[in-house]
Amino acid sequence: MVVLLGGLNLYAQETELNVDSLIRVQRGMDEKDTARIAILREIISLSNDVDTINHYASVLLEIAEENNHAIGRGSALARLSWCNYVMGDYTKSLEYAYNGIAVTDSLGETFTSAYLEFLIGNIYAMTLNATKADEFYRKALEGYLECNDTTSMVMTLSNIAVSHSDNSMYEEAEASYKEIIELGLSSNNYFRLAIGYLGLGSIALEQYDNELIVGSNEELLSEALKYLDKAYENSLKTFDGYYGKMDELEVRMQSITYLVSAILREVELRRDAISVRGEKLNRCRALLADEYILASNNGLDSFLTEADLVRTDYLVVSGQCSSALHVADSLYRCFEADLEQYSDYMGDLYEEYTKIYRGLSRKDDALKSSEQARYWQLKKRSNSYAVTATQSIAQAQFDEQMRQREIATKQNQVRLEEAKHRQTIVSIASIVVLVLVSLLALAIAANYRRQKRNNLQLNLVNSELELQKIEIEEQSKVISRVNSEMTDSITYASNIQKAAMPTDEQLQSIIGDHMLFYRPLNIVSGDYYWAQRVGNLRLLVVADCTGHGVPGAFVSLLGISILNEITAGLGVENVSASVILDTLRDNFKKMLKQNGNEGDNRDGMDLALVVIDVDNKKIHYSGAFRPLIMIHEGELSKIEADRMPIGSHLLDNQPFTDNVIDYVEGDLFYMFSDGITDQFGYNERGDVKKFTAKRLNSILLDIHKLPFSEQKSRISEAVDNWRNGNGTKPSYEQTDDTIVFGIRL
């Protein structure tokens, strides 16, 4: 469903005032000076940093309570409620919100009371408690209406709709989204229209996906497509800017994600002609390409999780199940590395695995992934119940505080009643003990009989296992012989691959002083390196092919062959890093018959290419997903690669970028595959994490002054220590082919 709007900081305003200056001013004031309260209120109103707000709101609350300053206390409670909501401590957020409402209501601060009621509604909505959420959302709506704040009303209506939809209250949710559309039409506000139509479309799509609904699926799907098309159309128009550019772009990305999902369902449902089906799939492909470009250009990669899942679905529907499996595996590694953040998506991912395995006719794997999908969906639901319980405790604690005086007056009466019941409890306890002893005796006797029966069954099982052991030993001999023959063949293939790549002596002759850390995952590798001279120019490539082992090795040999063919016909005057990559991509796609059609082979390469112009002290660099690291006078810089591979891709019609870098003698350059940065291991706290490019850069900066032979040893030692937690943990297996190539000019 459409994301809940709740993390918005409605108090922070854009201003030129310096928060740090205000902080310094209040530090010099007397703690009991009530003028300090006004400055602290200004600080927590202007700041956008949660830690800063949390600290100074706590200080403000303490001073306001000492001075019986109601306005200061109300401001502090409101901001502390927001801080704890953002930080995920909903128990504290509720406590501050309830107390804040009591203060702001007495002061007549309608807007602040409405916002606190809105926050409480959000917390209950996240626990699927639609009744409580609706109660507080409606109070917030009344307050915003009194303040004539239409924008906040739209936000609240949207969250009411999401809450109702999450509880399968679809008619109520639709009514709220239609109210938003009416507000959008009356104010000619395209952003509100996009939110309203997106909500109606996502509800229709959710109902279509609900297996409990029978009969009207096609009608629901048509409705979803109609509304989602309108949502996307309105998301492309100019908004009022209240929510900010990022929020508006996020709504556009959500519109694309849901629209593509609906189109894919239409393709699956209807038996259209091949041309019509192709047009629909091409539209999906174009929309996804726009979404990825939108995210890349605006730093919104963190919002692409749902889009990546839909992209997987697109590949399955278009018959590219092998490519879909690669994408799903990448998502799985990402989710597994941070389950706390991505656990809610695991059920959806396993549903995609189920579709993929069915498309690949892997019935057993499909069954297992289907079971995993159900497990993660149930776990997601149980997590919501756990949060509900936490909130109930928080509200109970607050109610308890409000009833303290009443409880104190009744304590004597409670003590008397406890004395009367004590004797009764002792008698009941004695009876319970006797019953438990009797039940225990019966259980022991039953367990003895069961154990005797199990021993007889165990003897029969042991006999069967002995026969199975003999059969397994015979099968093991056959498997061992087959494995030996296969290993011999792959070992011979590795000799061919090594012969295709330059020797260390050849690298020294072509490149000069260099370092090569090369560690294939299997006998043969999907990573490769290549070097060549064209006149006085020196060319070097470090590449990472799709997959590893035998499939990766085949792709690597193809890449080496094409590079040799390209450079054989080049002269010094027309050598260009970007042109070489463009030509490599074109030839690679032709060799593998990649025409952008359904069912095309999706293999490819990520690589970095440098052309070293020694005469002019320049390096020409072009990269396909693989960056270039430069260390100059002890400072490390990263030259980014183009975010597209060698092979068929959504952006494969765009040329590669030619980066020209001036260098001086002694500068170092490094290229590497993602096998080292994606390697799992243990950090200093023993947590399982990836090695990461940041860690590799830090190591390179530490060792760059050492001879290359020692640099190679230090990199090897760092990777091994990462995998086994410096010898304190079970060693993680190598996950991919690994290569790091360094040159000193």
Side-chain angles (χ1 to χ4, degrees), residues 111-233:
F111 178 83
T112 306
S113 295
Y115 181 65
L116 289 172
E117 287 156 349
F118 171 79
L119 280 183
I120 296 172
N122 279 358
I123 295 172
Y124 282 118
M126 285 188 294
T127 64
L128 304 183
N129 190 339
T131 303
K132 294 293 290 184
D134 205 53
E135 174 188 342
F136 284 96
Y137 280 145
R138 294 298 172 185
K139 290 180 180 178
L141 269 180
E142 291 175 6
Y144 290 141
L145 180 60
E146 185 177 336
C147 296
N148 197 28
D149 188 340
T150 311
T151 301
S152 296
M153 289 175 63
V154 169
M155 180 176 61
T156 308
L157 284 168
S158 178
N159 283 21
I160 291 173
V162 173
S163 175
H164 285 153
S165 179
D166 287 344
N167 286 273
S168 301
M169 300 164 64
Y170 297 118
E171 290 185 6
E172 293 85 346
E174 288 172 357
S176 294
Y177 282 127
K178 287 176 180 177
E179 283 189 61
I180 294 174
I181 292 172
E182 288 178 6
L183 289 170
L185 291 171
S186 63
S187 59
N188 199 30
N189 186 300
Y190 298 116
F191 185 44
R192 295 170 185 174
L193 290 172
I195 291 175
Y197 287 124
L198 176 58
L200 290 176
S202 62
I203 288 174
L205 191 60
E206 183 175 331
Q207 292 180 87
Y208 172 77
D209 287 337
N210 189 341
E211 295 178 352
L212 298 178
I213 294 177
V214 179
S216 59
N217 277 357
E218 284 201 52
E219 183 180 343
L220 281 169
L221 185 57
S222 298
E223 192 174 89
L225 285 164
K226 177 184 70 175
Y227 286 132
L228 292 171
D229 265 322
K230 288 185 177 181
Y232 177 62
E233 178 185 344

Side-chain angles (χ1 to χ4, degrees), residues 70-71 100-114 143 146-147:
I71 295 176
I101 289 170
V103 176
T104 54
D105 276 350
S106 67
L107 294 171
E109 294 185 356
T110 307
F111 178 83
T112 306
S113 295
E146 185 177 336
C147 296

Side-chain angles (χ1 to χ4, degrees), residues 334-344 346 376 379:
C334 175
F335 293 174
E336 187 181 37
D338 193 354
L339 273 178
E340 183 177 352
Q341 179 181 352
Y342 294 107
S343 62
D344 285 354
M346 288 296 284
W376 282 101
K379 184 173 182 181

Side-chain angles (χ1 to χ4, degrees), residues 629-647:
I629 301 300
M630 176 181 181
I631 297 181
H632 170 72
E633 294 183 352
E635 292 188 4
L636 184 145
S637 57
K638 176 182 177 183
I639 299 90
E640 294 286 358
D642 291 309
R643 296 184 62 80
M644 49 188 177
I646 300 298

Side-chain angles (χ1 to χ4, degrees), residues 367-595:
L367 180 61
K368 291 176 183 177
S369 60
S370 178
E371 291 172 351
Q372 283 290 325
R374 286 195 294 272
Y375 163 77
W376 282 101
Q377 295 293 1
L378 288 173
K379 184 173 182 181
K380 178 180 178 181
R381 198 174 305 157
S382 67
N383 287 340
S384 295
Y385 294 153
V387 177
T388 303
T390 301
Q391 294 167 354
S392 298
I393 292 170
Q395 188 171 8
Q397 289 173 342
F398 172 75
D399 293 338
E400 187 68 18
Q401 292 172 4
M402 300 298 288
R403 294 194 300 266
Q404 277 301 325
R405 292 183 181 179
E406 182 181 353
I407 291 172
T409 61
K410 296 180 180 180
Q411 283 181 343
N412 290 332
Q413 183 181 352
V414 171
R415 291 194 189 98
L416 289 173
E417 291 181 358
E418 286 178 350
K420 291 178 183 178
H421 290 296
R422 190 174 296 116
Q423 186 60 44
T424 304
I425 293 172
V426 170
S427 300
I428 294 173
S430 300
I431 296 171
V432 170
V433 169
L434 288 173
V435 172
L436 290 175
V437 169
S438 300
L439 292 174
L440 180 61
L442 291 173
I444 292 172
N447 185 63
Y448 173 76
R449 291 192 298 271
R450 186 167 54 252
Q451 187 65 40
K452 187 175 180 180
R453 184 173 63 253
N454 289 343
N455 287 338
L456 291 173
Q457 293 175 347
L458 184 61
N459 290 334
L460 291 173
V461 171
N462 286 337
S463 299
E464 293 176 0
L465 289 175
E466 188 64 31
L467 292 174
Q468 291 176 7
K469 179 182 176 184
I470 295 172
E471 293 178 1
I472 290 171
E473 288 176 349
E474 291 299 320
Q475 292 173 359
S476 178
K477 291 177 183 178
V478 174
I479 292 171
S480 178
R481 184 173 66 254
V482 171
N483 282 341
S484 177
E485 293 173 355
M486 186 179 297
T487 302
D488 290 343
S489 297
I490 295 175
T491 301
Y492 186 78
S494 74
N495 294 332
I496 298 174
Q497 187 182 34
K498 290 175 183 176
M501 292 188 286
T503 64
D504 193 65
E505 291 78 12
Q506 289 171 329
L507 288 172
Q508 189 68 33
S509 172
I510 297 170
I511 302 300
D513 194 14
H514 69 279
M515 181 275 295
L516 172 62
F517 174 71
Y518 184 52
R519 186 181 287 182
L521 174 61
N522 305 118
I523 300 173
V524 290
S525 173
D527 287 2
Y528 71 88
Y529 51 92
W530 173 89
Q532 188 63 271
R533 277 205 180 203
V534 177
N536 289 331
L537 301 178
R538 306 171 185 180
L539 282 65
L540 175 64
V541 167
V542 171
D544 180 358
C545 301
T546 302
H548 46 72
V550 174
F554 272 113
V555 179
S556 73
L557 290 174
L558 179 60
I560 293 171
S561 174
I562 296 174
L563 284 168
N564 287 334
E565 182 179 341
I566 292 172
T567 54
L570 289 178
V572 175
E573 68 284 351
N574 58 2
V575 173
S576 165
S578 60
V579 171
I580 291 175
L581 287 201
D582 292 339
T583 308
L584 174 60
R585 179 173 60 188
D586 292 342
N587 291 353
F588 185 86
K589 288 170 61 181
K590 288 177 183 177
M591 292 288 287
L592 294 184
K593 298 180 175 61
Q594 296 178 345
N595 300 313

